[in-house]
Amino acid sequence: MLTKIIRLDPLNFSIKQLQEAIDLIRNDEIVAFPTETVYGLGGSAFSETAVRKIYEAKGRPSDNPMIVHISDLEMLSSIVNVIPENIRKLCERFWPGPLTILFEKSEKIPDIVTAGLNTVAVRMPSHPVALAFIKELGIPLAAPSANLSSRPSPTKAEHVFNDLQGKIPLIIDSGSCNVGVESTVIDVHKGHSVVLRPGGVNLEDLKCYLPKVEIFNNKNKELSDEFKPPTPGLKYRHYSPKAEIILIEGSIKFLEEKIVSLHFKYRTQKKRIGILHTHKNFQIPSDIINDPKCKMIYLGLRDSNIDSDDSINADKIAEGLFSSLREVDNQNIDLVIVEGISEKKIGLAVMNRLRKAASKIIKE
Ligand code: AMP
Ligand code: MG
């Protein structure tokens, strides 16, 4: 199959340019499209055939359910059984945006979308192309991230193309996704609010609205079985480049020490080493910097300078996170040492992704 790419300026496009994508979805086909978080691989949420194609193209385990994307609250009513008043208010506060909310699923959504669960995860994206695409279709889109399963999520059309060329008919290319990490997934159930996956909406912002919101944690004994939400995505290795990832959590000094000792250990094994870091100038010996088998790569966007405002930094690190992980593969690196960052604001989602990608975590 030939994979076609259509370029659409997110600030200046016409619905006509979406016609080919719309026709494909109406014919049970699948299309990669931009959202503010990452690129999605969408198919009609009402079509078992389309959803099966998504699982196949990604190589996604069939027990990992998908998020259904909508363009307005009317569409929400067509796919869920009830919209409790407190959840409607939550939608009004955070949509459109990177918050995914669990609902009781209606029979119109085939079981394959939710992997047999009786809840459906729904979100309204804020990306103008995603919103216009779904609105014009008039059909909700089941869409996981448009990467091969277990690979870093795609934040540029070229990431999608590298993973899925020949497997999908069309990619809508609208440049880079500006949030860079996936949506926050939340379950509001019998008055308990639990974040199943940290993401684009910060815990700090959620807390202003839901003061008792908790982060789901396998080890959290306080959550009774009744309230333990199903989080199928938790089981799987995620976001990984081919290289082995060693995540370092601690002070800059600790990071510098670990880089020196790990570089010493692994260079004798003739491995190509990568160092993923946020600092423009930190103190590591010149023999490491000048080692041709050692590559220094920025974690996040190049201008995520840690010396400036923390929150701006974290946003830029999130925005460039998956590109950095993919750069590790482009450089044929065998082993990468990654700097852990603060878990404030979107840093929580960044650290969640890095911990899932890591094969080893070293804490101070
Ligand atoms: P992705 O779209 O690939 O970023 O993954 C969607 C995430 O939402 C995965 O972690 C899923 O496990 C989670 N998810 C989707 N639907 C449900 C659901 N009904 N209940 C719990 N988690 C869900
Ligand atoms: Mg994904």
Side-chain angles (χ1 to χ4, degrees), residues 46-226:
F46 298 137
S47 164
E48 267 193 51
T49 311
V51 174
R52 195 167 292 116
K53 285 179 185 171
I54 296 174
Y55 279 106
E56 274 169 20
K58 280 181 60 81
R60 184 176 175 99
S62 59
D63 63 349
N64 195 1
M66 291 176 191
I67 294 170
V68 175
H69 295 67
I70 57 168
S71 56
D72 49 61
L73 288 179
E74 208 177 303
M75 205 178 258
L76 178 66
S77 313
S78 73
I79 58 172
V80 305
N81 277 342
V82 278
I83 308 175
E85 198 42 37
N86 58 333
I87 300 189
R88 177 184 291 277
K89 286 190 178 138
L90 191 66
C91 299
E92 282 165 1
R93 166 66 185 80
F94 289 99
W95 283 355
L99 183 69
T100 296
I101 304 171
L102 297 197
F103 292 87
E104 201 181 294
K105 131 181 153 50
S106 94
E107 280 181 5
K108 286 175 83 178
I109 298 290
D111 284 343
I112 189 171
V113 173
T114 62
L117 296 174
N118 56 14
T119 51
V120 58
V122 186
R123 107 172 172 95
M124 190 191 292
S126 64
H127 194 290
V129 172
L131 266 185
F133 183 30
I134 301 165
K135 194 173 172 57
E136 191 61 22
L137 260 170
I139 300 171
L141 284 181
S145 48
N147 53 298
L148 282 178
S149 215
S150 93
R151 298 264 300 134
S153 297
T155 50
K156 293 178 181 180
E158 66 183 73
H159 300 161
V160 181
F161 188 76
N162 289 342
D163 276 15
L164 298 175
Q165 61 174 303
K167 294 183 171 184
I168 61 172
L170 186 68
I171 301 171
I172 302 170
D173 176 359
S174 293
S176 297
C177 304
N178 61 8
V179 175
V181 289
E182 300 86 341
S183 58
T184 301
V185 180
I186 191 169
D187 184 9
V188 182
H189 178 77
K190 294 188 185 165
H192 286 241
S193 319
V194 184
V195 169
L196 305 183
R197 174 179 74 181
V201 169
N202 297 328
L203 189 62
E204 288 87 337
D205 291 345
L206 274 175
K207 275 198 169 146
C208 293
Y209 196 81
L210 298 165
K212 289 190 177 160
V213 66
E214 297 173 68
I215 296 273
F216 177 66
N217 177 348
N218 273 330
K219 296 174 214 132
N220 191 346
K221 302 262 177 357
E222 285 145 21
L223 292 173
S224 71
D225 279 352
E226 195 188 345

Side-chain angles (χ1 to χ4, degrees), residues 2 6 40 44 80 89 122 128 168 196 206-207 211 235 242 254 267 324 342 352 361:
L2 207 68
I6 298 178
S44 163
V80 305
K89 286 190 178 138
V122 186
I168 61 172
L196 305 183
L206 274 175
K207 275 198 169 146
K235 291 197 295 220
K242 288 165 197 134
F254 182 71
R267 83 174 158 188
S324 306
S342 152
N352 168 274
I361 298 174

Side-chain angles (χ1 to χ4, degrees), residues 31 131 211 258 316 320 357:
V31 171
L131 266 185
K258 284 293 150 200
K316 287 185 172 170

